[in-house]
Amino acid sequence: MMGRREDGQGQFFYSFDLDKVVPPDHLVRQIDGLLDLSWVHKELAPYYSHTGRPSIDPVLMIRMLIVGYVFALRSERRLCAEVQVNLAYRWFCKLGIEDRIPDHSVFSPARHERFRESDALRRVFEGVVAMCIATGLVGGEAFSIDASLIKADVDKKKRMPGDQPIAWPKVEEASHAVREYLAALDTARGDEDGSGDAGGSGKGSDRHKPPKEVSLTDPQATWVARPGLDPFFAYDANYLIDNKAGIIIDAVGTRANRTVEIAITQTMVDRVERRFDLRPQRLAGDTVYGAVRLLKWLVDRNIAPHVPVWDKSARTDGTFSRADFVFDQQRNIYICPGGAELTSTGNIDQGHIVYYRASKSDCSQCSLKPKCTTATARKITRDLNEDVRDRVRALADTEAFQQSRRERKKVEMRFAHMKRIFRLDRFRLRGLSGVRDEVLLTATAQNLRRLAKLLCHAPPLAQACLA
């Protein structure tokens, strides 16, 4: 017979165990066993006042943020609404069935102040990386580096040309992103006039061109204009991964700039060695990382750069390229296809580019001149560290280089997952600090899900994953 639920008086007492309603194979159980936040209260205590009303527990906020990024709930308003009704999320956040959910507004000041001052989000990320290392998912021999453009949260119509003066609002009236930008400008001016922490070198300020466009909403975002693409403002998400299982061992959000990508690579490799005592034998990357200064930096540390060399010396007009000239290292000369010698002029441009020039008499009577140059004499350039570039070019023919090239696809997969699964195809937070927070939280979520997947193939309970 058909059953029917009778409406009647509700029960006076309930016996409800939240732990029993969360399925044993739920992802929150798996990642809960992989997360150690026991350090938070002690480390963040100096950043809180000893008087006044108690704040929201920072462990609760961090757990809620992790839930948000693991399950692609990046809006804190929506995150609070989901934790309110989702029992599994409540269980992970250590909230009882009757506990109140923090208001979404508490997350912004926590990020801007205590979390950033204490570098708490990086500490959480590095704790997960340490767990990956302890469980044997990080080999430490081969790394890959890459960056991905992520759109900034701005209206691109609200912009000004970078070479025109901009009337910014007063500091007290400006948004957090604008205040951060103005503070960075003040720091840069201080460095140039000798009052900054860079020692007053004053170098390079005239070399840097002003940005083509500046966003009035998020001025630290970079205007990206590429052939075939509608221009937009963006930041870079930089990932350094270990090739064994694709674990992200460092992650940084930066401005979208090739020079910054190279500099942050050095920062990340150094930081991984300092924090985890890991130095790779080889580093794979695309041509963007083939600048000679990075190649030399890697070679000096006995890291094999499995990177295509950035070389713009090839000519496309049918005339001889630099590769058609033979360099005699002992004599420090180039020999042209016609047998003439090109000697160094002694001039060094930009601190590392040396010029070699043929004599006018040799060029004027050479039958190959039409295929060589239209000038009175042929001139070519050579980097002071060209021998490093030659060593890196030689690596391209090795099996190890081809293996790194295949393994480098893992970092591209991490970016694909970032945008498709974790929905980070556009930043929600503004300013460089906000971008760094989002990149770190996303990388933490990716590592947690990766760790849970590799350790918990048939998970009855989270504790069994660590057995």
Side-chain angles (χ1 to χ4, degrees):
M1 61 183 290
M2 179 185 296
R4 183 185 296 271
R5 183 178 181 275
E6 299 292 339
D7 295 330
Q9 185 176 2
Q11 292 178 242
F12 286 107
F13 302 99
Y14 289 88
S15 176
F16 184 85
D17 188 350
L18 188 57
D19 185 69
K20 292 182 179 179
V21 301
V22 180
D25 59 348
H26 198 288
L27 182 58
V28 294
R29 285 195 180 272
Q30 299 171 15
I31 64 176
D32 182 64
L34 304 172
L35 195 64
D36 178 19
L37 298 178
S38 60
W39 53 271
V40 172
H41 291 134
K42 180 178 178 181
E43 295 293 330
L44 267 63
Y47 301 93
Y48 286 85
S49 173
H50 297 290
T51 61
R53 189 175 59 181
S55 71
I56 302 297
D57 188 345
V59 173
L60 171 59
M61 286 194 285
I62 291 175
R63 282 185 171 272
M64 289 183 66
L65 287 172
I66 289 174
V67 163
Y69 279 80
V70 167
F71 294 98
L73 304 170
R74 292 170 51 237
S75 164
E76 285 149 8
R77 186 185 295 269
R78 184 186 170 199
L79 171 63
C80 292
E82 291 291 332
V83 174
Q84 175 72 34
V85 299
N86 190 302
L87 297 180
Y89 296 168
R90 277 182 174 268
W91 178 89
F92 179 80
C93 295
K94 311 304 180 186
L95 291 168
I97 193 66
E98 294 181 350
D99 287 337
R100 290 187 59 186
I101 306 301
D103 189 79
H104 66 88
S105 61
V106 303
F107 289 92
S108 181
R111 276 198 319 269
H112 292 163
E113 299 169 9
R114 301 176 182 93
F115 287 178
R116 288 176 187 167
E117 292 172 2
S118 62
D119 215 8
L121 298 183
R122 176 159 292 280
R123 178 76 179 270
V124 173
F125 168 78
E126 291 180 349
V128 176
V129 174
M131 176 68 73
C132 295
I133 295 173
T135 53
L137 297 181
V138 175
E141 297 179 355
F143 292 173
S144 292
I145 182 73
D146 206 355
S148 181
L149 280 174
I150 310 291
K151 290 184 178 180
D153 183 31
V154 299
D155 181 355
K156 68 179 183 179
K157 296 179 180 179
K158 296 180 180 179
R159 67 180 195 268
M160 289 281 291
D163 56 357
Q164 294 184 11
I166 300 175
W168 296 107
K170 296 179 180 180
V171 174
E172 59 273 13
E173 299 175 356
S175 66
H176 182 83
V178 172
R179 292 200 305 271
E180 185 177 297
Y181 170 74
L182 296 177
L185 287 182
D186 291 340
T187 301
R189 294 190 189 103
D191 292 345
E192 291 170 10
D193 64 17
S195 61
D197 57 5
S201 62
K203 295 179 181 179
S205 58
D206 293 332
R207 293 200 310 266
H208 299 302
K209 296 180 180 179
K212 187 173 182 181
E213 301 288 338
V214 175
S215 169
L216 300 179
T217 308
D218 188 355
Q220 289 182 302
T222 303
W223 180 251
V224 178
R226 295 182 178 177
L229 290 178
D230 189 24
F232 58 96
F233 284 102
Y235 286 95
D236 264 344
N238 300 267
Y239 275 5
L240 180 67
I241 73 160
D242 181 84
N243 290 351
K244 180 178 180 179
I247 298 298
I248 305 165
I249 54 176
D250 206 341
V252 185
T254 63
R255 301 195 66 204
N257 181 283
R258 180 171 174 264
T259 303
V260 174
E261 287 183 40
I262 294 171
I264 205 64
T265 299
Q266 300 175 3
T267 300
M268 289 195 289
V269 171
D270 273 346
R271 180 161 51 208
V272 167
E273 181 175 10
R274 186 171 63 253
R275 301 286 174 86
F276 306 111
D277 195 26
L278 293 177
R279 177 186 286 186
Q281 298 176 8
R282 59 184 187 271
L283 177 70
D286 57 24
T287 311
V288 170
Y289 302 93
V292 67
R293 59 185 177 277
L294 179 58
L295 300 180
K296 185 177 187 307
W297 186 87
L298 293 170
V299 169
D300 289 345
R301 286 155 180 78
N302 295 319
I303 301 174
H306 287 181
V307 179
V309 176
W310 180 277
D311 189 354
K312 295 297 183 180
S313 64
R315 293 188 172 188
T316 58
D317 59 358
T319 59
F320 294 131
S321 299
R322 186 177 62 193
D324 298 313
F325 293 72
V326 178
F327 183 67
D328 187 331
Q329 190 167 5
Q330 291 184 345
R331 300 168 61 193
N332 191 29
I333 63 171
Y334 273 97
I335 301 175
C336 76
E341 298 178 356
L342 286 77
T343 59
S344 172
T345 63
N347 297 329
I348 300 179
D349 190 21
Q350 301 179 29
H352 61 100
I353 298 176
V354 183
Y355 289 91
Y356 292 80
R357 189 183 185 96
S359 67
K360 294 181 181 179
S361 58
D362 287 341
C363 287
S364 61
Q365 55 187 343
C366 180
S367 60
L368 297 177
K369 184 179 180 181
K371 294 186 62 178
C372 187
T373 182
T374 57
T376 55
R378 177 62 189 264
K379 180 174 64 176
I380 60 177
T381 60
R382 177 181 177 85
D383 197 281
L384 284 174
N385 297 304
E386 193 67 30
D387 58 325
V388 173
R389 287 153 58 101
D390 290 339
R391 288 171 60 184
V392 176
R393 289 188 184 99
L395 295 175
D397 298 325
T398 64
E399 175 59 29
F401 184 96
Q402 298 304 320
Q403 180 182 351
S404 293
R405 185 178 180 181
R406 293 189 294 269
E407 291 176 343
R408 193 174 65 83
K409 295 179 181 178
K410 293 179 181 179
V411 70
E412 297 173 355
M413 291 173 60
R414 299 284 81 77
F415 286 133
H417 292 164
M418 169 197 283
K419 296 180 180 181
R420 183 170 59 88
I421 305 299
F422 296 87
R423 301 178 184 176
L424 189 62
D425 54 354
R426 183 186 182 97
F427 285 113
R428 186 183 62 83
L429 303 180
R430 293 172 179 169
L432 190 55
S433 294
V435 166
R436 289 170 178 164
D437 290 347
E438 287 210 73
V439 170
L440 267 179
L441 284 166
T442 303
T444 302
Q446 288 182 277
N447 279 346
L448 281 171
R449 291 186 62 156
R450 183 76 173 158
L451 187 58
K453 178 181 179 181
L454 295 177
L455 294 185
C456 310
H457 298 289
L461 288 174
Q463 288 81 358
C465 303
L466 302 177

